[in-house]
């Protein structure tokens, strides 16, 4: 028993060092899992952002195409009115007023 009491500080030191090493190892594993999880979150966020940007660009292109079609129609109407001349435009306006 006396030998055990004399070696008690050494035993406590060894147990404490082992507990510290085990705790450090567990912390490293948890940190690794945490970093992997954070990276996966960032990847999913990037994929979502990419998908949303793609949808927005598609919608913008659709709207631009529609605006271009309407502009082409307006240009055609404008050219037709210019071709008719000022007298025809005035007659056209008066006819619309008479029918209203």
């Amino acid at each position: 028993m006396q030998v055990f009491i004399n070696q008690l500080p050494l035993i406590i030191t060894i147990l404490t060092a082992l507990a510290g090493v085990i705790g450090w190892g567990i912390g490293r594993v948890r940190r690794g899992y945490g970093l992997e999880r954070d990276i996966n979150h960032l990847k999913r966020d990037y994929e979502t952002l990419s998908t949303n940007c793609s949808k927005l660009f598609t919608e913008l292109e659709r709207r631009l195409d529609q605006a271009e079609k309407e502009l082409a129609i307006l240009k055609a109407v404008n050219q037709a009115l210019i071709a008719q001349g000022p007298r025809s435009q005035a007659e056209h306006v008066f006819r619309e007023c008479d029918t209203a």
Side-chain angles (χ1 to χ4, degrees), residues 20-60:
V21 168
I22 291 170
W24 178 79
I26 291 172
R28 294 264 309 169
V29 169
R30 282 186 180 173
R31 182 173 179 245
Y33 286 140
L35 290 174
E36 184 178 343
R37 189 172 149 222
D38 288 345
I39 288 171
N40 287 335
H41 280 300
L42 290 172
K43 284 180 182 177
R44 282 193 300 273
D45 289 346
Y46 177 75
E47 289 169 357
T48 303
L49 181 64
S50 177
T51 302
N52 289 341
C53 284
S54 174
K55 288 179 183 177
L56 282 174
F57 287 139
T58 302
E59 178 65 18
L60 287 174

